[in-house]
Amino acid sequence: MRLSYAVHGAIWIAVYLLFILAPLFALLAGTWPPARDFWTEFAVALGYSGLAMMGLQIGLTARFRYVTKPWGEDVIYHFHRQISLVAAGLIVTHAVILTAGRPETLLPRNMLQAPWSAYFAIVSIVALIALVVAALWRVRLKISYETWHLSHIVLAVVAIAAGIAHMVGSGVYLVDPWKRALWIGLTIFWIGLLLYVRVVKPLFMLRRPYRVAEVRRERGDTSTLVMRPDGHPGFRFTPGQFGWLTLWGRPFKITGHPFSFSSSAEAADGRVEMTIRNLGDFTSAIHNVSEGQRVFLDGPYGAFTIGNPADMHVLIAGGIGVTPMMSMLRSLADRRDRRPVTLLYGSRDWDSITFREELEALQARLNLTVVHVLANPPDGWTGEQGFITADLFKRHLPPPYTSHEYFICGPNVMMDAIERALGSMRVPLSKYHSERYSFA
Ligand SMILES: Cc1cc2nc3c(=O)[nH]c(=O)nc-3n(C[C@H](O)[C@H](O)[C@H](O)COP(=O)(O)OP(=O)(O)OC[C@H]3O[C@@H](n4cnc5c(N)ncnc54)[C@H](O)[C@@H]3O)c2cc1C
């Protein structure tokens, strides 16, 4: 299983590199333009590579299940963020080197007489810089997620389209028709990816709607949506995976919200549940959802799944990070799986522990130990309190710690601390799996 994931992953990395490097190496074949100085040629190479990387970003966030499977969606989004910075860096460096070599081009008199391709370069770079600034400092700039997401797509399309126009206008390397054909092909591919994400995929979702069967209040300002497929069999998921939910309107809306499935993966009728904590505009409106309402689900996604049979599974949840764990536990119970499981579960206080009663009941059906860790324990509390630390692990888990399989989901600070604790206990990276609830 792991090996096939590794091979699968290696193939996609090779395809990715091919798409990035092939356009660059293709420039070196066929007819060459008259030689120019090293820095000009170097800057041009940076520009071509940066543009090829930018175009492929659309593919990275296109939610191709088959592509993201070996890594999980959060790793892909992290890669998208990092590699976009590299691409933007290459393009800006390309412009800086070219203008540093000819500073006179920046004089207002010369700028007015510049060829049209130079204007496209300016539009592309301004859009790119705005894109990076908004992505890095969205929260500090107080831009809502929805506004940011829409502007992100618009700015990316403008930056790439203007970049292509600039390349065609000043493309001394594109004299050969086949090189032009290569770039036209790439552009069509990028447009195809965009159409797939924004039109084809939503059309498929439109034909496979779900109906809300129940809205259940849970402890901790949280509600569970129970959804049934409407006129189709639904999809199968692996416990720990998540889907994108569109509650109001059609799936063509630009922003769906990601939520883990909290129900058992064994439901025969395609029913799925998502358990949602009130944390912002969208999540606070869950109680307005009515039974029978039509909703759309895009899924399943994610690699945060129990697959490897191990001696012992350790689930570490903070707050609403318990939802994928709940799906794992409910599925194990339905499968009558008796492997030992320990759930270390951090909550604010005793009353806000989501699924508290059901976890108690599950202990009778599973070989399950639940350790509650409370930030604000009630008077007389003798259980764990504060943060989940390496010492806490050692109190509740049998050694050797390196032979257990760990699953972590919760606030970023908690996850960072736990990953450090596991590192200090010499647990190898392959033994722990994380799901971060922040893609952006
Ligand atoms: C893989 C994954 C699984 C998740 N599972 C659950 C779950 O089971 N239960 C649960 O309560 N929450 C879950 N979340 C978090 C949930 O998606 C956000 O809390 C929710 O989208 C916030 O929306 P809002 O408009 O209410 O809040 P806002 O105040 O608008 O947003 C709060 C923060 O949530 C993030 N966010 C908002 N909208 C989106 C979006 N469309 N896509 C990605 N991130 C967004 C942003 O970082 C934002 O700053 C999960 C997140 C991820 C990435």
Side-chain angles (χ1 to χ4, degrees):
M1 184 80 172
R2 289 281 156 188
L3 182 68
S4 83
Y5 268 18
V7 172
H8 193 153
I11 292 172
W12 281 118
I13 290 172
V15 171
Y16 183 81
L17 288 176
L18 183 76
F19 269 93
I20 299 299
L21 297 176
L24 193 62
F25 286 117
L27 298 181
L28 299 176
T31 319
W32 280 26
R36 293 172 294 182
D37 63 286
F38 167 79
W39 286 109
T40 303
E41 299 298 355
F42 179 62
V44 169
L46 295 186
Y48 275 106
S49 322
L51 191 59
M53 283 166 116
M54 282 294 294
L56 213 52
Q57 297 306 310
I58 306 170
L60 280 182
T61 51
R63 301 188 204 158
F64 287 115
R65 234 188 311 281
Y66 197 64
V67 180
T68 59
K69 201 159 78 176
W71 298 282
E73 220 74 14
D74 55 345
V75 172
I76 294 287
Y77 274 83
H78 187 71
F79 179 69
H80 162 67
R81 269 198 299 271
Q82 305 304 321
I83 207 73
S84 299
L85 291 179
V86 174
L90 292 180
I91 292 173
V92 172
T93 312
H94 151 88
V96 169
I97 295 178
L98 287 180
T99 45
R102 298 177 202 84
E104 67 282 1
T105 51
L106 294 177
L107 292 174
R109 176 168 42 89
N110 291 339
M111 284 191 65
L112 283 175
Q113 289 164 2
W116 59 266
S117 66
Y119 288 105
F120 277 113
I122 294 170
V123 171
S124 178
I125 297 231
V126 169
L128 196 60
I129 292 173
L131 190 81
V132 171
V133 168
L136 289 181
W137 293 290
R138 173 180 69 83
V139 177
R140 205 174 292 174
L141 294 170
K142 297 196 173 29
I143 306 173
S144 77
Y145 183 86
E146 284 76 9
T147 310
W148 168 78
H149 194 193
L150 180 63
S151 68
H152 192 71
I153 294 169
V154 172
L155 287 171
V157 170
V158 169
I160 296 170
I164 292 170
H166 165 68
M167 182 191 69
V168 171
S170 55
V172 286
Y173 274 99
L174 299 184
V175 185
D176 288 341
W178 69 268
K179 287 187 190 171
R180 280 201 298 279
L182 179 81
W183 276 94
I184 291 170
L186 260 186
T187 309
I188 292 172
F189 174 67
W190 296 336
I191 294 171
L193 282 178
L194 200 63
L195 287 177
Y196 169 78
V197 184
R198 295 288 152 212
V199 182
V200 178
K201 207 160 190 196
L203 273 176
F204 273 115
M205 285 166 68
L206 199 60
R207 295 179 55 185
R208 298 168 73 84
Y210 281 71
R211 295 266 169 206
V212 175
E214 188 189 344
V215 185
R216 207 167 48 227
R217 298 301 287 244
E218 307 278 4
R219 288 182 177 277
D221 202 7
T222 297
S223 303
T224 293
L225 289 185
V226 183
M227 294 162 282
R228 286 185 204 283
D230 184 7
H232 61 96
F235 52 73
R236 303 286 305 182
F237 66 91
T238 310
Q241 287 192 299
F242 71 94
W244 298 82
L245 173 69
T246 304
L247 269 186
W248 289 281
R250 292 170 162 244
F252 297 100
K253 272 175 75 172
I254 241 154
T255 303
H257 287 254
F259 295 102
S260 302
F261 302 116
S262 54
S263 48
S264 166
E266 297 301 308
D269 57 357
R271 178 175 56 95
V272 286
E273 296 182 8
M274 287 175 162
T275 301
I276 298 173
R277 178 153 298 173
N278 175 2
L279 289 173
D281 305 347
F282 178 84
T283 47
S284 63
I286 294 297
H287 57 263
N288 295 333
V289 174
S290 47
E291 284 177 19
Q293 183 172 323
R294 192 173 68 149
V295 298
F296 297 96
L297 283 178
D298 180 18
Y301 293 102
F304 184 70
T305 55
I306 38 172
N308 266 7
D311 292 343
M312 177 166 182
H313 277 64
V314 181
L315 313 182
I316 307 155
I320 196 61
V322 75
T323 54
M325 317 302 187
M326 205 56 198
S327 176
M328 294 176 189
L329 295 174
R330 285 169 164 163
S331 305
L332 290 175
D334 285 348
R335 292 172 191 166
R336 300 177 200 282
D337 191 321
R338 298 293 293 179
R339 74 181 89 171
V341 183
T342 295
L343 171 67
L344 305 175
Y345 182 9
S347 302
R348 203 176 52 237
D349 53 44
W350 183 243
D351 285 332
S352 64
I353 302 177
T354 310
F355 303 127
R356 194 179 84 195
E357 289 77 5
E358 191 177 342
L359 285 169
E360 268 163 38
L362 276 170
Q363 291 184 66
R365 295 176 63 201
L366 290 165
N367 186 355
L368 169 68
T369 308
V370 180
V371 178
H372 289 293
V373 185
L374 299 182
N376 303 314
D379 291 343
W381 173 254
T382 53
E384 296 290 355
Q385 50 183 289
F387 298 109
I388 301 176
T389 57
D391 284 345
L392 190 138
F393 282 120
K394 289 175 184 158
R395 279 198 291 280
H396 295 281
L397 303 178
Y401 308 114
T402 48
S403 68
H404 311 323
E405 189 104 5
Y406 298 83
F407 294 83
I408 317 157
C409 185
N412 278 339
V413 270
M414 179 200 112
M415 296 188 59
D416 293 343
I418 289 172
E419 286 174 3
R420 273 196 303 275
L422 291 176
S424 74
M425 289 156 68
R426 308 222 175 286
V427 175
L429 265 176
S430 60
K431 283 282 191 183
Y432 58 87
H433 315 268
S434 309
E435 183 77 283
R436 295 201 177 241
Y437 276 5
S438 49
F439 281 163

